[in-house]
Amino acid sequence: MPPVNRSKRPRTKIRALLVCPNPRGTDRLRTDREERVLRESIRLSKFRGSVEIDTLRAATLDDLRRGLRHAQYDIIHFSGHGTRRGLVFEDESGRLVVAKSEALARLVAKHGIETAILNACYSLDVGTITPIGTKYTIAMDGPIADDAAIEFSRGFYDAIGDGDDVPGAFQEGIDCAELKNFSISAILLPDGVRHAGRPVPASQPDTPAADDKRTLLLGIALDVSGSMQESIADRTRASRSRLQSAKDALGRLGGVINRSAQERRRDIEALDDERVRIFACCFGTRIDPGFDDLLGVMLAARQVDVASEVERRKRTYEAEARAQASRYSGLESLATRFLGGGIVASLRNTAERDIRQRITGEIAHLLRQQASTVGSTVLNLKQFSDLFDSSRDASLGDFEALVYGSTPLRATAAEIAARFRSIPAPQGVEEARMLLIISDGEPTDGDPQPHFKTLSDAGVTIVSCYVTNRDVADPRILLASSDPTWETGAKLMFEAASPLDENGQFASYLLRHGWTIEKNARMFVQINHSDVLEEFVSAVGSRLEQQDDLGLLPVGQ
């Protein structure tokens, strides 16, 4: 490393803006301590009269924008939460929101700021770290502990107050932290220089990651009642039913969990293990009791040639109908003369409808019988991903005969609670238990809330998606309270949903995808668009992503 120019000389006045968003979960004492360290460094420095620091506490994005309009700054210093998608703020309503890095870059560049310090975990975007419109950007390529961040600031402002340039002050900050045995992954980026980010360390194939002992038991309750035939908005403007969209969302969920596992383990064959176990129940089927093992039925649909079975029965029943009609062939013209052609055609259509219903019922029983031969189905990660692979099974036609009935959510909730009880947790590991519910209607068999409470009391996290036709003004938001104008089904699904852990991966995943989160929000969303459904369902899979890839907070905050 070339020697740093240590010439000390007075310089023109430097003005710095310390921005402390202080979103929920931040330790206010930590940000106050960082501010004290900054001011102490300047007070003790050689040219202390040449450096001035302003502070924006509990800053919203509007506070930041207005602050930059009211004064000219040389340094802007962000201290707080960060994700790989951007820095975390609260909006005027107290909702958590991630500032778009591109917009932040334009804002900083517009005001001619020379140096930006992003003293937060994962200061810039995934994959490549870039300056944000300044001559120098100091970013954190990874998580950073509170004390490490503060010691870096101490060294940096010691040097700035003594007359060092930004590269020299950056190195002083690194030295200050490392002299005290703090690990820090700060990067200095001059304007126009890009950085590829930290290389991912290659783990040995036979060495599991530290958190590999975490497991997930995921239950899924999918509404397949008649109203799920209705269409849902789609980015392609193609016609898709709610049920097909839900199935596509589950396929994306399998992909999210699969990618997370592959990132954590180089031994891809390990995906066949039981680190992720999934069972699913579809409710709203046509045959009593109105719910079935969804995964078992889907597997059965692959084992049975449904199209051939339908065609065989169709030929049989049509032959029977022709034989019966031949006995009365001489009467058809007579009936047409006396009853009219319309009535005769209607009778013929009724007969055809009866045949379709008979075939549908027989295929439904066939699928249920085939599914029952394997018992309750619990799949591992790879099996689930393969089952919902859209390239292999792009439609619901194979088991459509079984679905589009009523909505027995109460009985289904009781069945799911029993399934969770019947599946023991692996010994010696930490297991998360989660239930994902996707529905669009009210229960037709009574109140399911007592069973949902039983699940919550047993430590099962409940995530609920209510599919609706109503106009949802702001669909990408997690709310803390229900609205009196909601449909009864939406209110029920909201009450069933678990409180959100704002510092968990679920919240982080949604924030990175542009969602906002109210204080004390529940894991519930009303959905009228397939894209929103896919994003929300995919957040369930983030439970097993690496904490240091997603953490909102520096360690200790």
Side-chain angles (χ1 to χ4, degrees):
M1 179 181 298
V4 177
N5 181 3
R6 294 296 184 188
S7 60
K8 309 294 184 183
R9 59 183 182 275
R11 51 195 302 177
T12 57
K13 193 173 188 68
I14 294 176
R15 195 169 187 179
L17 178 64
L18 175 62
V19 181
C20 302
N22 298 126
R24 297 189 303 274
T26 305
D27 183 353
R28 175 63 185 271
L29 295 177
R30 183 268 185 195
T31 54
D32 288 348
R33 179 181 165 208
E34 183 165 15
E35 182 183 3
R36 286 197 303 273
V37 166
L38 266 62
R39 294 187 180 280
E40 177 187 66
S41 292
I42 298 305
R43 181 174 58 82
L44 298 176
S45 64
K46 182 176 181 181
F47 301 120
R48 52 186 172 273
S50 67
V51 182
E52 180 180 344
I53 296 177
D54 295 334
T55 304
L56 284 177
R57 299 181 182 88
T60 66
L61 289 170
D62 283 329
D63 291 335
L64 171 61
R65 180 179 54 79
R66 290 166 181 152
L68 293 179
R69 291 181 63 84
H70 295 161
Q72 180 63 48
Y73 293 99
D74 305 283
I75 298 173
I76 185 168
H77 182 133
F78 292 94
S79 176
H81 299 244
T83 74
R84 286 188 180 271
R85 184 59 64 94
L87 301 174
V88 184
F89 288 76
E90 284 189 12
D91 66 12
E92 297 293 344
S93 300
R95 300 167 178 172
L96 291 181
V97 60
V98 173
K100 290 186 178 180
S101 293
E102 299 86 352
L104 183 62
R106 289 196 302 271
L107 180 67
V108 170
K110 181 173 71 173
H111 291 284
I113 296 170
E114 180 181 275
T115 302
I117 302 174
L118 309 179
N119 211 356
C121 290
Y122 305 108
S123 300
L124 289 179
D125 292 346
V126 177
T128 302
I129 298 177
T130 62
I132 62 169
T134 57
K135 182 177 179 180
Y136 295 107
T137 297
I138 296 173
M140 304 300 160
D141 182 24
I144 180 171
D146 293 351
D147 289 340
I150 290 171
E151 292 306 322
F152 174 83
S153 296
R154 188 193 306 275
F156 182 88
Y157 286 96
D158 280 346
I160 288 293
D162 281 349
D164 280 15
D165 58 13
V166 170
F170 170 80
Q171 188 57 50
E172 188 71 18
I174 295 291
D175 292 343
C176 183
E178 292 185 346
L179 279 170
K180 299 172 185 177
N181 294 313
F182 292 116
S183 176
I184 188 166
S185 55
I187 298 170
L188 175 66
L189 294 171
D191 186 23
V193 175
R194 301 169 70 87
H195 190 280
R198 288 185 304 159
V200 178
S203 58
Q204 296 300 320
D206 58 349
T207 304
D211 283 336
D212 270 355
K213 289 186 177 181
R214 291 186 304 167
T215 64
L216 172 65
L217 176 61
L218 173 63
I220 298 171
L222 176 63
D223 189 346
V224 297
S225 63
S227 55
M228 290 293 280
Q229 295 180 81
E230 296 183 24
S231 61
I232 188 171
D234 181 81
R235 71 169 73 90
T236 64
R237 298 186 178 179
S239 177
R240 273 204 297 178
S241 70
R242 295 174 176 180
L243 183 53
Q244 183 63 52
S245 181
K247 180 177 178 290
D248 293 343
L250 293 177
R252 180 170 173 178
L253 167 63
V256 168
I257 301 177
N258 206 335
R259 286 191 300 273
S260 299
Q262 291 187 31
E263 289 169 1
R264 296 181 60 80
R265 305 182 74 160
R266 294 177 62 85
D267 183 4
I268 303 303
E269 294 301 320
L271 297 181
D272 288 318
D273 68 14
E274 301 302 312
R275 197 171 65 90
V276 179
R277 297 178 295 165
I278 304 171
F279 69 88
C281 188
C282 56
F283 60 97
T285 55
R286 301 186 187 197
I287 305 175
D288 287 339
F291 56 82
D292 278 276
D293 184 328
L294 173 63
L295 305 183
V297 171
M298 291 181 68
L299 289 170
R302 288 189 172 181
Q303 296 165 2
V304 175
D305 189 343
V306 174
S308 296
E309 292 289 341
V310 169
E311 187 60 31
R312 181 174 65 81
R313 286 166 169 78
K314 182 180 177 181
R315 288 196 302 267
T316 299
Y317 291 132
E318 285 178 346
E320 292 177 359
R322 284 193 299 270
Q324 186 174 8
S326 66
R327 301 175 196 165
Y328 306 102
S329 58
L331 298 177
E332 182 173 352
S333 60
L334 182 64
T336 301
R337 186 164 62 246
F338 284 98
L339 300 176
I343 293 178
V344 171
S346 176
L347 293 172
R348 186 181 297 113
N349 291 337
T350 299
E352 291 175 353
R353 184 170 63 251
D354 289 343
I355 289 175
R356 286 196 298 271
Q357 289 176 349
R358 290 172 65 184
I359 293 174
T360 296
E362 290 178 8
I363 295 299
H365 280 287
L366 178 64
L367 290 174
R368 175 175 279 183
Q369 183 180 28
Q370 181 67 29
S372 67
T373 61
V374 295
S376 298
T377 307
V378 181
L379 301 184
N380 64 31
L381 169 62
K382 187 174 187 303
Q383 293 166 337
F384 181 82
S385 297
D386 289 346
L387 184 60
F388 282 87
D389 184 351
S390 61
S391 65
R392 296 181 57 190
D393 185 11
S395 74
L396 292 161
D398 282 350
F399 62 98
E400 204 165 271
L402 192 60
V403 301
Y404 300 143
S406 58
T407 312
L409 183 53
R410 183 177 184 276
T412 303
E415 172 69 13
I416 288 173
R419 290 292 302 275
F420 271 109
R421 289 194 299 270
S422 70
I423 302 174
Q427 293 185 350
V429 300
E430 172 195 352
E431 180 175 69
R433 295 194 158 203
M434 183 176 288
L435 171 63
L436 169 65
I437 312 170
I438 303 175
S439 180
D440 71 344
E442 299 177 31
T444 55
D445 64 341
D447 185 7
Q449 293 293 14
H451 299 298
F452 289 139
K453 185 177 186 305
T454 298
L455 287 164
S456 296
D457 292 344
V460 177
T461 299
I462 300 177
V463 180
S464 60
C465 308
Y466 182 75
V467 187
T468 180
N469 281 335
R470 67 178 290 163
D471 183 19
V472 181
D474 192 355
R476 288 179 169 85
I477 182 171
L478 296 191
L479 299 171
S481 60
S482 61
D483 190 304
T485 65
W486 286 359
E487 297 158 322
T488 302
K491 295 176 183 175
L492 184 150
M493 295 277 283
F494 177 85
E495 292 301 324
S498 297
L500 175 73
D501 176 6
E502 292 181 353
N503 295 328
Q505 283 94 326
F506 190 95
S508 175
Y509 185 96
L510 294 178
L511 285 170
R512 283 162 32 222
H513 285 79
W515 290 58
T516 56
I517 298 173
E518 288 189 349
K519 187 176 182 179
N520 300 321
R522 288 181 178 262
M523 301 172 79
F524 163 85
V525 68
Q526 286 199 78
I527 291 170
N528 63 358
H529 200 285
S530 61
D531 291 356
V532 181
L533 176 61
E534 290 183 3
E535 285 179 9
F536 189 73
V537 170
S538 295
V540 173
S542 66
R543 163 63 178 79
L544 292 174
E545 289 184 313
Q546 293 193 66
Q547 179 69 37
D548 62 357
D549 279 345
L550 298 171
L552 286 174
L553 305 176
V555 177
Q557 284 192 16

